[in-house]
Amino acid sequence: MKARWAIEFVGTGSYAPEQRVPNDHFTSYLDTSDEWIVQRTGIRERRIVAPDQSTLALSEAASHAALAEAGLTPEDIDLIIHATATPEHPLPSTACELQATLGCRWIPAFDIAAACSGYVYALINAAQFIQCGMARTVLLLGSESLTRITDMEDRGTAILFGDGAGAAIVRPSTDPERGILAARWGADGSRAKAVYVPAGGSAEPSSIRTVNERLHYMKMQGRAIYKFAVTMMHSLVAETLDDAGVKLDELALLIPHQSNLRIIESAAQRLGLGMDRVAVNIDRYGNTSAASIGLALDEARKEGRVKPGDLVMLVAFGAGLTWASALIRL
Ligand SMILES: CC(C)(COP(=O)(O)OP(=O)(O)OC[C@H]1O[C@@H](n2cnc3c(N)ncnc32)[C@H](O)[C@@H]1OP(=O)(O)O)[C@@H](O)C(=O)NCCC(=O)NCCS
């Protein structure tokens, strides 16, 4: 079957900070337990950026790993698309800072703010620029220092999030059957405040009051998002398979956004897909937002769990609310 957008992953890379924080860390000062966290989320530990690290450092490390696998240098890249909810600075884009840090040419570079759907949004964008001839070698990333905007005094969110980065280098494919067979994306802005950071933007600039009221941290309606995700994830996968005329049996691996193991298991069960064909790493990283799919895809490729020619489905949902899926023949 001919791909809708004939692209090829010529390299992937990922990076997670060294510091591991097990669930027990939170039980020392919050009213929570390892048992509650594991049962309700599947998370056992997460990685946290070092004091002298931030999103750019994670992006840089993941980019170097992707370039090394591709056998390319920074000068070969001609577009950077960087998905993040935790940019290095509010201004300019982290993509521009990454361009300079890597030593790329003066190529276009921009950020995408689609929260946990960011990696798939970035991939869909990369495919468009390749298809229309505006780029040949695209570096795309999902990269987050989410713990920097997580309120560590709020047990409802503190236990969920972690830091990391996933990068990929995509190029046009000479094989017309490799690439994205089908993709869907969307957003429901009426639910923008289901997950949001109230202060620090133009609506509510940072001030002593906003800091005192902890409004610079993420606020989340966990249950509402849970319900949204459980219905959205399986229907998005089913519709995307349908778009491509591909049967579930043909899928080598489903790589869902890692937000909650129960959400992932519920989607797999509704689809009738065994968990042996679902990528899970939330136990080790927590929810790393835009980074989660990039991390999981890189792990699956490096472990040999997927190989060229395999069909892989990426599916994500996140703040916005946003969602996106992509069925890829690797
Ligand atoms: C956040 C989440 C883990 C909570 O799990 P849940 O089963 O929905 O739990 P609820 O929110 O219904 O809360 C149940 C109880 O647990 C409590 N609770 C919340 N966090 C807790 C914690 N860390 N430890 C112990 N109890 C906790 C709640 O206060 C509530 O107590 P109550 O019944 O006395 O009011 C779950 O809703 C979730 O994962 N949602 C999606 C979040 C997400 O994906 N966010 C990112 C957006 S991309």
Side-chain angles (χ1 to χ4, degrees), residues 32 36 40-41 116 155 220 222-223 226 259-260 262 287 318:
T32 188
W36 192 97
R40 298 287 182 121
T41 71
C116 308
R155 69 175 183 172
M220 184 183 80
R223 196 75 248 189
Y226 186 94
S259 64
N260 185 317
R262 286 189 296 150
N287 180 348

Side-chain angles (χ1 to χ4, degrees), residues 9 11-17 20 45 47 62 65-66 69 119 163-168 253-256 258 278-286 288 291-307 312 314 330:
F9 285 75
T12 56
S14 57
Y15 176 79
R20 295 164 193 266
E45 63 175 26
R47 304 292 187 91
E69 195 208 314
Y119 188 89
D163 304 328
L253 193 66
L254 171 67
I255 305 185
Q258 310 283 309
V278 181
V280 173
N281 64 19
I282 188 168
D283 51 327
R284 289 173 286 132
Y285 299 120
T288 57
S292 89
I293 288 181
L295 267 163
L297 174 62
D298 184 47
E299 282 184 347
R301 288 175 84 250
K302 301 276 154 67
E303 288 164 4
R305 211 170 161 193
V306 289
K307 53 184 191 321
V312 172
L314 314 184
L330 288 177

Side-chain angles (χ1 to χ4, degrees), residues 179-262:
I180 301 178
L181 305 191
R184 286 190 172 224
W185 58 353
D188 174 5
S190 71
R191 285 190 273 182
K193 290 187 177 165
V195 196
Y196 85 124
V197 179
S202 61
E204 180 101 61
S206 307
S207 65
I208 291 168
R209 182 187 63 78
T210 63
V211 171
N212 286 341
E213 293 177 11
R214 307 180 81 76
L215 300 178
H216 55 301
Y217 290 127
M218 190 193 322
K219 310 291 172 205
M220 184 183 80
Q221 297 163 16
R223 196 75 248 189
I225 295 170
Y226 186 94
K227 285 186 187 156
F228 164 78
V230 157
T231 35
M232 171 58 74
M233 209 173 235
H234 88 277
S235 55
L236 200 52
V237 171
E239 287 161 6
T240 312
L241 285 170
D242 227 34
D243 291 344
V246 167
K247 294 199 176 59
L248 192 66
D249 292 350
E250 299 172 60
L251 200 62
L253 193 66
L254 171 67
I255 305 185
H257 166 51
Q258 310 283 309
S259 64
N260 185 317
L261 183 58
R262 286 189 296 150

Side-chain angles (χ1 to χ4, degrees), residues 7-313:
I7 58 163
E8 197 178 316
F9 285 75
V10 294
T12 56
S14 57
Y15 176 79
E18 276 175 24
Q19 194 189 346
R20 295 164 193 266
V21 176
N23 292 342
D24 283 346
H25 164 78
F26 299 100
T27 59
S28 65
Y29 72 98
L30 287 174
D31 182 13
T32 188
S33 65
D34 176 52
E35 193 189 10
W36 192 97
I37 300 169
V38 173
Q39 273 182 7
R40 298 287 182 121
T41 71
I43 300 168
R44 292 181 185 278
E45 63 175 26
R46 69 287 293 139
R47 304 292 187 91
I48 293 199
V49 281
D52 62 348
Q53 273 185 326
S54 42
T55 300
L56 181 60
L58 312 188
S59 302
E60 187 188 356
S63 300
H64 280 305
L67 281 166
E69 195 208 314
L72 297 173
T73 68
E75 292 89 53
D76 295 317
I77 301 167
D78 47 31
L79 172 64
I80 300 175
I81 307 178
H82 186 280
T84 189
T86 48
E88 188 77 355
H89 297 105
L91 189 75
S93 71
T94 308
C96 285
E97 297 197 58
L98 182 63
Q99 181 221 59
T101 304
L102 291 175
C104 300
R105 292 172 286 118
W106 286 355
I107 52 165
F110 62 91
D111 282 6
I112 286 189
C116 308
S117 309
Y119 188 89
V120 188
Y121 263 57
L123 177 63
I124 292 171
N125 269 275
Q128 309 314 305
F129 288 113
I130 288 174
Q131 178 83 7
C132 73
M134 288 285 283
R136 263 193 75 78
T137 305
V138 183
L139 169 63
L140 71 95
L141 299 106
S143 181
E144 305 280 10
S145 305
L146 273 185
T147 58
R148 292 275 158 84
I149 61 162
T150 301
D151 186 348
M152 293 300 170
E153 301 296 323
D154 170 21
R155 69 175 183 172
T157 50
I159 54 117
L160 284 178
F161 299 103
D163 304 328
I169 296 175
V170 290
R171 281 185 145 177
S173 173
T174 48
D175 179 349
E177 293 187 3
R178 288 176 78 178
I180 301 178
L181 305 191
R184 286 190 172 224
W185 58 353
D188 174 5
S190 71
R191 285 190 273 182
K193 290 187 177 165
V195 196
Y196 85 124
V197 179
S202 61
E204 180 101 61
S206 307
S207 65
I208 291 168
R209 182 187 63 78
T210 63
V211 171
N212 286 341
E213 293 177 11
R214 307 180 81 76
L215 300 178
H216 55 301
Y217 290 127
M218 190 193 322
K219 310 291 172 205
M220 184 183 80
Q221 297 163 16
R223 196 75 248 189
I225 295 170
Y226 186 94
K227 285 186 187 156
F228 164 78
V230 157
T231 35
M232 171 58 74
M233 209 173 235
H234 88 277
S235 55
L236 200 52
V237 171
E239 287 161 6
T240 312
L241 285 170
D242 227 34
D243 291 344
V246 167
K247 294 199 176 59
L248 192 66
D249 292 350
E250 299 172 60
L251 200 62
L253 193 66
L254 171 67
I255 305 185
H257 166 51
Q258 310 283 309
S259 64
N260 185 317
L261 183 58
R262 286 189 296 150
I263 294 174
I264 296 170
E265 286 176 342
S266 158
Q269 194 185 5
R270 285 179 190 219
L271 284 163
L273 185 68
M275 286 301 288
D276 56 323
R277 283 195 287 150
V278 181
V280 173
N281 64 19
I282 188 168
D283 51 327
R284 289 173 286 132
Y285 299 120
N287 180 348
T288 57
S289 192
S292 89
I293 288 181
L295 267 163
L297 174 62
D298 184 47
E299 282 184 347
R301 288 175 84 250
K302 301 276 154 67
E303 288 164 4
R305 211 170 161 193
V306 289
K307 53 184 191 321
D310 278 351
L311 283 172
V312 172
M313 173 78 75

